Amino acid sequence: MMKRIFLAAILATFAAGSALADDTCESKAVGKDGKALAGAAKTSFMKKCKADACTPKAVGSDGKPLAGAAKNSFMKKCEVSA
């Protein structure tokens, strides 16, 4: 029962955080000249920004950072939802 409550809290935090991360990444996608990025530059920036936003969240239930396949799976899901 406690695990379900904890998981629900993590998922709620994750959902709120991913919505904020997307806004932040979109607003940060600006070049050195102050103009909005476009094309491949924007795509690359958004991918890196989303990965950077998801990396601190890649932590297991024991509090240790995820590694290997677990981390890859988490990052893939996080970046899609972000």
Side-chain angles (χ1 to χ4, degrees):
M1 180 68 173
M2 192 66 156
K3 285 184 181 181
R4 286 187 179 184
I5 293 171
F6 182 69
L7 182 60
I10 289 175
L11 290 176
T13 303
F14 172 71
S18 64
L20 294 174
D22 192 36
D23 258 353
T24 304
C25 289
E26 190 71 35
S27 65
K28 289 182 180 179
V30 179
K32 292 180 182 178
D33 58 358
K35 295 181 182 178
L37 295 176
K42 183 175 182 180
T43 303
S44 175
F45 177 84
M46 294 297 289
K47 184 175 180 181
K48 183 181 182 313
C49 184
K50 288 179 181 180
D52 290 347
C54 291
T55 301
K57 298 176 188 174
V59 179
S61 59
D62 58 356
K64 295 181 182 178
L66 295 174
K71 183 175 181 180
N72 291 340
S73 176
F74 176 84
M75 293 297 287
K76 188 174 182 179
K77 289 178 185 176
C78 181
E79 289 172 7
V80 167
S81 66

